[in-house]
Amino acid sequence: MTTYKGINGFAVQSVATDPTFDEGQVWYNNATYAFKLAALTTSAAWSSGGNMPSGKEGMGGAGTQTAGLGNGGTTGSNSNATLLYNGSTWTVSPGNMNTARAYCATTGTQTAAISANGNSGSYSTNSETWSGTAWTTTASPSLASGIRAASGTSTAALISGGYSPTYQYNTPEVEAWSGSAWTTVTGLTTARTTGQGGVGTQTTAMVMGGFTYPPSGYRAEVELYNGTSWTNLTSMNTGKRYHAASGSPSSALVYFGASAPGVSATSELWNGSTWTASATGATGRESVAGLGNSGTSTAALVFGGSVPPISSLTEEYAGAGTAQTQTVTVT
């Protein structure tokens, strides 16, 4: 009789946690009492992740699909909480933000991030850095605003557009973070009020979508920053606001948010030159949080938001060809 060892030259491993694997590898997880198979996705798909402890909208988000960060947000009142995701479960960190606020611009990783602006009762200039255990108040951006796109790292960030009474809502202003101070740089070509996505670094950033007020439609425009100026790229197929983004200017995913006439669970994939429709999630939501530039276009995360009502749902995206683990039934 043909055996796995006879074919592969070794027996099925018994392990307590799923390993980093190659396609076709089989192992036994002795903690869950299940045989597992390493496979590749044939098409992109969204699947359910672990729910947050409670529903929130307007959170900041950063990190990766298996090491995510969520901060602030609102449940009707503004929150200063910090949430950490390990790929399956959210936990509440004891490190609260110094200022409770929603719709702040967050970028970085689970252990090193910056979160600027937002709404703390009024649109603010608050800015704080995250060390992995605690938030520290920093120098403030010059513009009191909320709902800005964020890209870069905790020491070299970029925040773009947003909602600010200074500009009678539609904000073109862009500010760069040096690690110690914010500096105003070249503004966006198209001023945007709400919910534009942002990916990339401080010197190679992409901003997509958003909204203008008074209402003139959901924006589909996409702009690329080279450290000096902004250039218009191919527009998305569908204008969106209050959405999330993950990846880089050469390979990005824009997902969920609001598109006329209501909330959306759709996503679009950018390959550096064109946008194509990708997988649709289970529950449409706006005011969601995502991963920004620390995530990828093949491993994104969306959490919270408003259906309405306010949601605690998390969904995970796997791009076509992404490695996945499947449980094998043995008879």
Side-chain angles (χ1 to χ4, degrees):
M1 181 179 67
T2 302
T3 65
Y4 184 85
K5 183 176 181 179
I7 295 172
N8 293 280
F10 52 86
V12 174
Q13 290 181 299
S14 178
V15 295
T17 58
D18 294 335
T20 301
F21 49 74
D22 296 318
E23 183 181 8
Q25 182 179 346
V26 176
W27 67 94
Y28 179 73
N29 188 310
N30 54 40
T32 59
Y33 308 108
F35 284 94
K36 300 290 185 75
L37 167 68
L40 298 179
T41 57
T42 56
S43 60
W46 288 93
S47 60
S48 296
N51 288 352
M52 297 189 300
S54 61
K56 288 185 183 181
E57 64 176 332
M59 295 179 70
T64 67
Q65 193 180 81
T66 57
L69 171 71
N71 66 293
T74 180
T75 58
S77 59
N78 291 331
S79 171
N80 65 352
T82 305
L83 302 181
L84 306 176
Y85 191 64
N86 65 3
S88 59
T89 304
W90 288 98
T91 57
V92 179
S93 169
N96 288 335
M97 299 174 70
N98 294 295
T99 301
R101 51 206 159 99
Y103 298 102
C104 43
T106 302
T107 187
T109 68
Q110 190 184 70
T111 57
I114 187 165
S115 189
N117 291 121
N119 191 327
S120 57
S122 60
Y123 287 101
S124 75
T125 58
N126 293 113
S127 178
E128 302 181 35
T129 54
W130 169 248
S131 67
T133 57
W135 291 94
T136 301
T137 301
T138 70
S140 297
S142 63
L143 185 70
S145 180
I147 326 175
R148 307 184 83 174
S151 57
T153 68
S154 63
T155 57
L158 199 72
I159 51 177
S160 311
Y163 180 107
S164 175
T166 300
Y167 284 90
Q168 297 191 345
Y169 311 119
N170 304 317
T171 305
E173 188 160 327
V174 178
E175 299 185 55
W177 171 248
S178 67
S180 60
W182 292 96
T183 303
T184 301
V185 296
T186 305
L188 295 166
T189 301
T190 301
R192 304 152 197 258
T193 297
T194 57
Q196 59 275 9
V199 296
T201 67
Q202 188 184 75
T203 57
T204 308
M206 188 165 73
V207 169
M208 61 286 280
F211 198 72
T212 51
Y213 184 87
S216 62
Y218 295 82
R219 312 307 307 197
E221 290 91 341
V222 178
E223 297 186 43
L224 179 70
Y225 184 64
N226 64 5
T228 304
S229 60
W230 292 89
T231 303
N232 290 317
L233 300 177
T234 304
S235 294
M236 298 186 300
N237 294 305
T238 302
K240 285 191 173 189
R241 69 171 185 174
Y242 292 126
H243 53 282
S246 182
S248 70
S250 61
S251 179
L253 186 76
V254 172
Y255 46 98
F256 289 70
S259 300
V263 297
S264 171
T266 62
S267 58
E268 291 190 40
L269 190 64
W270 169 253
N271 66 3
S273 60
T274 59
W275 292 94
T276 56
S278 190
T280 298
T283 304
R285 287 166 276 161
E286 63 177 339
S287 301
V288 293
L291 299 177
N293 56 281
S294 290
T296 69
S297 61
T298 58
L301 191 71
V302 64
F303 48 99
S306 176
V307 177
I310 293 174
S311 175
S312 64
L313 296 176
T314 298
E315 295 186 46
E316 300 176 357
Y317 176 86
T322 303
Q324 66 174 189
T325 300
Q326 298 178 353
T327 300
V328 179
T329 302
V330 178
T331 59

